Amino acid sequence: MSPLLASMLSGIAICYFACGVPFGLVIARAHGVDVRKVGSGNIGTTNVARSVGKAASAETLACDVAKGWLCMLAARAIVAAAAFGGDFAMTRPQTSFGWVTTVFFLACICGHVFSPYLRFHGGKGIAVGFGAGLGCYWPLSIGLLVVFILVVVPTRYVSAGSIAADVSVPVWGLVFGFTRAAIPPLVAIALIVLWAHRSNIKKLIHGEESKFAFKK
């Protein structure tokens, strides 16, 4: 097995299994709440905010962003050390091997959405996606945040902002010059997160989606 393939598989495993840790569920349980049984039933930041409160939602957001960011950096460092003589720049998504980094990004999303610790159920991939985006190419996450804010502020629909940001992922990849081979994993990310929001999409269409508010 080549050093690139071996290190890539190691990186994928790290991203998938570490990002599968359901911090929202763990943090909410520490506050005496099982978020799977209240609100939307989702383990992500928004449902924790609605069902538990600001402090728990902030902890969830921080942990989910951090796990995506740290996993990406660790996976890229492993590949750089094993296959590129420690040259971290070779893992940038604009290089010929940049597709490896976007595959890691995809593994982070899959771990969170299809958590191996929750029988392949999980969150919707927004916070972890933001963190993984920072670890992939930080301007990408800034672009996603801009799209998110532009939709959420006037509408107060977090799901609408999340969906809009998600759909823009491969677009930002093209804008920032990611190689052609690095784009398909971004398209897969967009499709998976869109699928994870399928119930929100139905509610938005029928005018049944709840606007964001913290638990009082």
Side-chain angles (χ1 to χ4, degrees):
M1 185 180 293
S2 71
L4 176 60
L5 180 57
S7 58
M8 185 178 74
L9 292 175
S10 297
I12 290 172
I14 289 171
C15 290
Y16 178 75
F17 287 103
C19 287
V21 177
F23 283 111
L25 177 62
V26 173
I27 291 168
R29 276 183 170 174
H31 290 267
V33 178
D34 186 341
V35 286
R36 295 173 298 179
K37 298 179 180 179
V38 295
S40 66
N42 188 260
I43 64 170
T45 302
T46 302
N47 195 41
V48 172
R50 288 171 173 159
S51 305
V52 185
K54 295 180 181 179
S57 68
E59 292 170 19
T60 300
L61 177 63
C63 288
D64 283 347
V65 170
K67 72 182 181 182
W69 176 56
L70 293 174
C71 284
M72 286 295 297
L73 294 182
R76 291 178 62 187
I78 289 171
V79 169
F84 305 125
D87 187 357
F88 194 76
M90 284 295 293
T91 65
R92 293 176 70 246
Q94 294 88 349
T95 68
S96 57
F97 290 97
W99 59 271
V100 174
T101 295
T102 56
V103 167
F104 291 152
F105 194 166
L106 175 59
C108 289
I109 296 297
C110 288
H112 186 78
V113 176
F114 308 112
S115 173
Y117 313 111
L118 298 176
R119 298 182 180 179
F120 303 104
H121 292 84
K124 297 185 178 179
I126 298 303
V128 72
F130 180 79
L134 289 174
C136 175
Y137 184 66
W138 69 264
L140 171 66
S141 283
I142 300 304
L144 299 179
L145 182 61
V146 169
V147 173
F148 178 82
I149 291 173
L150 288 176
V151 175
V152 173
V153 169
T155 67
R156 286 181 55 208
Y157 287 121
V158 172
S159 59
S162 299
I163 292 165
D166 168 59
V167 171
S168 74
V169 170
V171 177
W172 285 115
L174 293 171
V175 168
F176 291 123
F178 288 21
T179 60
R180 183 176 298 180
I183 298 300
L186 299 185
V187 174
I189 288 168
L191 292 174
I192 290 171
V193 175
L194 201 61
W195 176 84
H197 283 81
R198 61 196 182 282
S199 63
N200 301 97
I201 294 171
K202 290 179 181 178
K203 290 179 181 179
L204 286 167
I205 291 173
H206 293 99
E208 300 172 349
E209 183 71 317
S210 300
K211 292 187 176 182
F212 181 76
F214 284 107
K215 180 183 178 181
K216 295 181 180 179

